[in-house]
Amino acid sequence: EAGVAQSPRYKIIEKRQSVAFWCNPISGHATLYWYQQILGQGPKLLIQFQNNGVVDDSQLPKDRFSAERLKGVDSTLKIQPAKLEDSAVYLCASSLLTGGPYEQYFGPGTRLTVT
Amino acid sequence: SQKIEQNSEALNIQEGKTATLTCNYTNYSPAYLQWYRQDPGRGPVFLLLIRENEKEKRKERLKVTFDTTLKQSLFHITASQPADSATYLCAPPTTGANNLFFGTGTRLTVIP
């Protein structure tokens, strides 16, 4: 079974520029998550989708971050404009369903450096 | 608000010994808890799930315990090997139980 795919793997941008990350979850997984992981910390949830609807975006900085999952499959996370503190690894994960003890499958992440 | 504490940022042990990692939680009572492994440059990988009515769960050389009285989960790796070196993350569900809340992790190094 193919895993969670993410691209790009690395991105370097200057502050105030915009950037987009793409994620393709495991086939058949209804739930998709975007996490931000700052060096030395655990993953922090940014947004969670169930099919193409948002379940939780309470920690998403909505003034600069946006995400969509239009057809309930792949997803895009965008940052515009980027700040220095956005430098982190952005992880995408998927699970079969939501609201229960379902294990999450993570992609390799995108390492973003904002200069 | 809920809080997760993993015992230390780093733990070094000798090959062959048992590694014990601690996860303490406060301000709520999760119905289950998951443990993940993360290698440098990679996403976390699920290892084990333990529910509140289970005292202990085992998988090969891994063992997890869940003490709801102490509000603590212990993660053990027996007969540790250098390949076990990684960061281990504790993840109970959030209070709404729709997703997971990850601890900061413990970086384990097994010395040959």
Side-chain angles (χ1 to χ4, degrees), chain B residues 2-112:
Chain B
Q2 68 185 107
K3 190 177 177 183
I4 304 297
E5 286 184 355
Q6 294 196 240
N7 56 326
S8 60
E9 285 190 7
L11 179 65
N12 297 330
I13 64 164
Q14 210 67 36
E15 182 176 4
K17 300 293 186 182
T18 296
T20 298
L21 285 62
T22 304
C23 176
N24 295 301
Y25 54 91
T26 54
N27 296 333
Y28 80 131
S29 299
Y32 61 88
L33 195 144
Q34 300 187 14
W35 283 88
Y36 287 76
R37 168 184 173 141
Q38 187 172 24
D39 291 282
R42 299 196 172 200
V45 174
F46 172 80
L47 295 175
L48 281 168
L49 163 77
I50 187 164
R51 299 174 192 271
E52 61 180 342
N53 61 347
E54 298 174 315
K55 294 293 184 191
E56 181 180 295
K57 201 80 167 281
R58 290 176 184 262
K59 179 183 175 182
E60 298 172 353
R61 295 183 295 109
L62 308 181
K63 184 178 85 171
V64 174
T65 62
F66 196 5
D67 190 325
T68 55
T69 302
L70 292 178
K71 292 187 179 293
Q72 181 181 80
S73 176
L74 297 180
F75 179 86
H76 306 272
I77 306 175
T78 58
S80 60
Q81 304 167 0
D84 296 325
S85 298
T87 295
Y88 292 86
L89 299 160
C90 160
T94 56
T95 49
N98 279 325
N99 44 63
L100 297 176
F101 183 81
F102 284 87
T104 56
T106 297
R107 187 173 67 252
L108 173 68
T109 302
V110 181
I111 302 164

Side-chain angles (χ1 to χ4, degrees), chain A residues 14-27:
Chain A
E14 295 181 352
K15 60 183 179 184
R16 292 187 290 273
Q17 287 187 325
S18 62
V19 64
F21 313 126
W22 174 83
C23 172
N24 191 34
I26 291 174
S27 177

Side-chain angles (χ1 to χ4, degrees), chain A residues 56-77:
Chain A
D56 186 347
D57 64 355
S58 57
Q59 298 192 85
L60 186 74
K62 298 180 184 66
D63 58 336
R64 298 184 301 106
F65 286 64
S66 64
E68 58 184 14
R69 193 185 184 199
L70 291 175
K71 296 181 180 178
V73 181
D74 56 354
S75 176
T76 303
L77 176 71

